[in-house]
Amino acid sequence: MKAAYELCQQQGYARLTIEGIAARAGVGKQTIYRWWPSKGAVLLDVFVDQIVTRLDAASTGSPLDDLRRRVEATAEVLADTTIGPHIAGLISDAQGDPALAKELHERLVAPARAQHRGLIRTAQERGELRAGVDVDLMADAVFAPLWFRLLVTKAQLSPEFARDITDTVMSGWTDVRTPGPHR
């Protein structure tokens, strides 16, 4: 995994190959294929722990503040040149690789989405959000712009952009605003 990460940083996800990973690690291709079916699977293992560690933090006591923090952390992770562009490549590969798509969903997307939905539901239960808020719609509305910038427009991702997204989305469902210099 160290060899895959180093090569990915040096030459980018698109140019990464199982042969290159094996050569860098000093093993045969079959050794790599014994553990991973594709370069995407190797890189998924490399990045899942890094991403999850950066997204998980202690609770602030407010589910909406925790959601805001996760949106900001996601923006920071996707803007990180050692992760973001490679995740974009992995997502691209997953479009044509059902096994990789399933692993990506099970190991990264579904757990993150479950946490986001839980925060939104808790905010509803506490009266911080209207009871009628569609949990999935809100989760999509706050996170999709980050992924759109990473995968489509390549526009800058920043904590400020993340705060603007959460403020815009939440303003439709609550009057809560994030204090800060961007206002």
Side-chain angles (χ1 to χ4, degrees):
M1 289 194 322
K2 181 181 178 190
Y5 179 74
E6 290 171 352
L7 279 175
C8 193
Q9 298 308 310
Q10 290 173 356
Q11 60 191 32
Y13 181 87
R15 294 181 52 210
L16 186 68
T17 64
I18 291 291
E19 292 80 8
I21 296 169
R24 179 71 166 252
V27 299
K29 283 190 323 187
Q30 292 307 337
T31 300
I32 305 293
Y33 281 120
R34 196 171 301 134
W35 296 99
W36 298 279
S38 66
K39 71 177 184 181
V42 176
L43 267 292
L44 184 60
D45 275 356
V46 168
F47 289 122
V48 163
D49 288 338
Q50 289 183 27
I51 293 168
V52 169
T53 299
R54 288 176 69 174
L55 294 181
D56 287 343
S59 173
T60 64
S62 165
L64 289 183
D65 287 344
D66 291 347
L67 183 64
R68 278 189 184 90
R69 185 184 36 76
R70 286 184 66 86
V71 174
E72 289 178 29
T74 300
E76 289 172 358
V77 166
L78 297 180
D80 183 336
T81 59
T82 67
I83 297 176
H86 310 303
I87 291 295
L90 193 147
I91 289 170
S92 176
D93 277 2
Q95 302 312 299
D97 182 342
L100 180 59
K102 181 180 181 207
E103 282 291 312
L104 178 64
H105 180 79
E106 288 176 357
R107 297 185 56 210
L108 196 59
V109 176
R113 190 157 179 93
Q115 288 178 332
H116 305 152
R117 294 176 79 203
L119 291 170
I120 295 166
R121 282 192 186 108
T122 302
Q124 285 177 311
E125 291 165 4
R126 291 183 180 181
E128 295 179 35
L129 287 173
R130 289 194 328 249
V133 171
D134 181 315
V135 173
D136 289 312
L137 177 61
M138 184 169 181
D140 288 346
V142 294
F143 287 95
L146 304 175
W147 292 100
F148 185 75
R149 282 197 171 191
L150 175 72
L151 298 171
V152 179
T153 69
K154 308 296 185 204
Q156 182 184 14
L157 286 161
S158 66
E160 294 79 18
F161 176 69
R163 282 191 293 273
D164 287 344
I165 290 167
T166 54
D167 282 351
T168 300
V169 170
M170 288 181 191
S171 70
W173 292 310
T174 182
D175 291 333
V176 177
R177 289 273 200 217
T178 304
H182 70 283
R183 289 271 152 230

